[in-house]
Every structure is written in C-alpha cells, then in structure tokens.
Amino acid sequence: MNKNKTENNQSIGIIVNTIKGDPADILSKIKNILKKHKIEPIIIDYDISSYQNINKASKILKDVSMLISIGGDGTLLSALKIAIKYNISVLPVYNGSLGFISEIPPEEAYSILEEYLNNKKSLYEIEARTLLEVKLSKNNSKENAKDNLKTKNYLAVNELVLGKCDGRAIYIDVSIENKTVSSIVGDGVVIATPTGSTAYALSAGGPVLAPTIDAISFVPIAPHSLTFRPLVIPKGDVIELTLSKKSFKAMVTI
C-alpha cells in the first residue's frame, strides 16, 4: 500500500461485476459506510476484462487510495491489474461464482472497511502477492538475431501462457537459471503465480500454491510426453522459453 495516498487522500474506487449475483445491496451498504466518512467513491460498473476498458478504468482510478472489488476471482484479478500499477491495496468482496482468492463475505468486508477508515487494523492484514516479471522478445530479422531483438516488459498477476494458435503443436525450448531443462512439444505452457495457480494452471493439471509460498508453477499444456510433469520453481529463478523454428505460430497471453 502507498502510505502517502492513504494518509492524504481517502478516495476509494469500487469495481463491481453487475452481471453475476445481485451486487446492488452490497454496493448500497458500502456506499453508506463511505458516506459516514464523507467519502464519495468512484464506481466502475462496466466490464473491465478487455485491454481497452482496463486502460480506461485505470485512468479514472489513478488517484484512489484503495480499491474494492465486488464479484468473484475474475473481478478481483481485473482490479489487481490496476492496483499494481498504482501500488494500492484491494479489498475483495465475494459476490460471484468462484471465490478462491476473492474470499471475504460481504458482512465481514463491511467491518474491515470500517476499521480501515478508522485507521485500525485488528480484523485484517494486507497480504503481498507474488507477480511475474515478463520480458517478451521478438526477433524481426533472420540476420544478426541478437541485434534485432525487440523487448517489451510486463507484470502478470495471474499467469503467462505461451500456447498454440491453431491445431498444430508448438515446440518450446525451456531453460531455468541459464540451464537447459527440456524441449516441450504440445499445446503450450503456463507459468503461474500462487494467485494464478487456481486458474488455467490448475485446469492444466498444475498444483494449487498457497499465497504465502515463495514459488511459481510451471505447467505444460497437453505435452506429447509421459515424463514432463508440472514443476514448482523458486520465485526468483529466471525461466526462458524459446519458440523453436519448428513452430509455425504461437500466442502469448499475460
């Protein structure tokens, strides 16, 4: 949490999923709590799962000291993409169909919010989450490969997926800490944080990691091998995925 924002600016943003459940009652009670403290929240009540809408909401919420997400895990993950950009905390209020990480029921969330606004801290603690630092490089020329690498940097709350675009398998060379580990043939790989270990990585057969574990999971997607299984890797290790020339096309999702 950015302490300066909390002390000097009690502006609060609310991201609410209006599609699932009935958030009207929850939203009304939260607004009443904020009203007692003379706070007018900034409410985002449209879908922010797309890149364009995330950017739009991010600009609107740039000066808030805290975010409240009302929904399930998907809503929380969208809120976290904004929170990490501005170094602020998120209070996840569960009102969805999946709540592994968005696990705080409304009645408990109201009490936590009251404490936060009164500068008390007996009912909650702020939990730091592991992020993935992703460097995506593309060689735009067949000559002087190293000189023509174009690199972009990203932060991932949930996961990085390198996967196929069509029906053909892709070939991926894998190294960890500059040591060659394996070459994978299959539908792709998922590299997930503990937060993301309950999403795509879990569906692909990966382990569930507790948020307090300093590790990330490496999960192959439908590998053409009986021996390459999911791995749990220390979070500080550098993983390099290189798409082999045998691969026709692949897609990166962050």
Side-chain angles (χ1 to χ4, degrees):
M1 175 180 289
N2 186 321
K3 292 183 179 179
N4 290 330
K5 282 190 176 182
T6 304
E7 292 169 0
N8 301 326
N9 181 3
Q10 283 289 332
S11 176
I12 290 179
I14 302 176
I15 297 174
V16 54
N17 185 339
T18 58
I19 299 174
K20 294 182 180 179
D22 185 11
D25 184 58
I26 298 173
L27 184 58
S28 177
K29 289 181 178 179
I30 288 176
K31 288 171 70 175
N32 286 337
I33 293 171
L34 297 177
K35 188 176 181 179
K36 287 193 299 182
H37 293 267
K38 298 180 180 179
I39 298 173
E40 184 67 32
I42 300 172
I43 300 173
I44 304 296
D45 58 1
Y46 52 83
D47 177 33
I48 61 168
S49 59
S50 70
Y51 179 79
Q52 291 81 3
N53 283 351
I54 277 278
N55 279 346
K56 178 182 175 182
S58 182
K59 292 175 182 178
I60 295 171
L61 297 168
K62 65 179 182 178
D63 293 320
V64 302
S65 59
M66 174 189 182
L67 284 176
I68 300 172
S69 71
I70 303 174
D73 286 359
T75 307
L76 173 57
L77 289 169
S78 294
L80 286 172
K81 290 177 183 178
I82 297 173
I84 61 174
K85 184 175 182 179
Y86 299 121
N87 191 27
I88 54 178
S89 299
V90 181
L91 173 62
V93 185
Y94 176 65
N95 185 50
S97 56
L98 181 63
F100 186 84
I101 56 175
S102 179
E103 58 189 20
I104 303 176
E107 293 301 325
E108 185 178 338
Y110 304 147
S111 300
I112 290 173
L113 181 58
E114 287 276 15
E115 273 212 345
Y116 172 82
L117 295 173
N118 288 314
N119 294 316
K120 297 179 180 179
K121 198 177 177 182
S122 64
L123 296 177
Y124 72 95
E125 62 181 26
I126 298 174
E127 184 179 74
R129 291 293 178 110
T130 297
L131 302 175
L132 292 179
E133 182 182 3
V134 180
K135 294 184 178 181
L136 185 62
S137 299
K138 180 180 179 181
N139 181 17
N140 291 323
S141 173
K142 294 182 180 180
E143 299 179 0
N144 300 322
K146 290 184 179 180
D147 296 332
N148 287 282
L149 284 178
K150 306 297 182 182
T151 302
K152 291 185 178 181
N153 299 324
Y154 302 89
L155 285 176
V157 176
N158 225 22
E159 67 214 358
L160 162 77
V161 180
L162 175 58
K164 67 178 185 178
C165 293
D166 51 31
R168 289 173 288 194
I170 57 176
Y171 298 74
I172 305 169
D173 297 325
V174 182
S175 66
I176 301 176
E177 289 292 281
N178 293 317
K179 295 180 181 179
T180 300
V181 174
S182 181
S183 293
I184 298 175
V185 182
D187 289 356
V189 297
V190 183
I191 301 175
T193 65
T195 303
S197 69
T198 59
Y200 194 176
L202 180 63
S203 299
V208 174
L209 303 180
T212 53
I213 294 177
D214 289 335
I216 56 178
S217 60
F218 182 99
V219 184
I221 306 170
H224 294 189
S225 170
L226 296 176
T227 58
F228 198 101
R229 313 314 303 163
L231 304 175
V232 176
I233 301 168
K235 72 174 185 179
D237 283 9
V238 176
I239 303 170
E240 184 175 351
L241 305 177
T242 304
L243 201 62
S244 167
K245 292 180 180 179
K246 294 180 182 179
S247 302
F248 287 92
K249 189 184 297 185
M251 176 174 63
V252 174
T253 306
I254 299 172

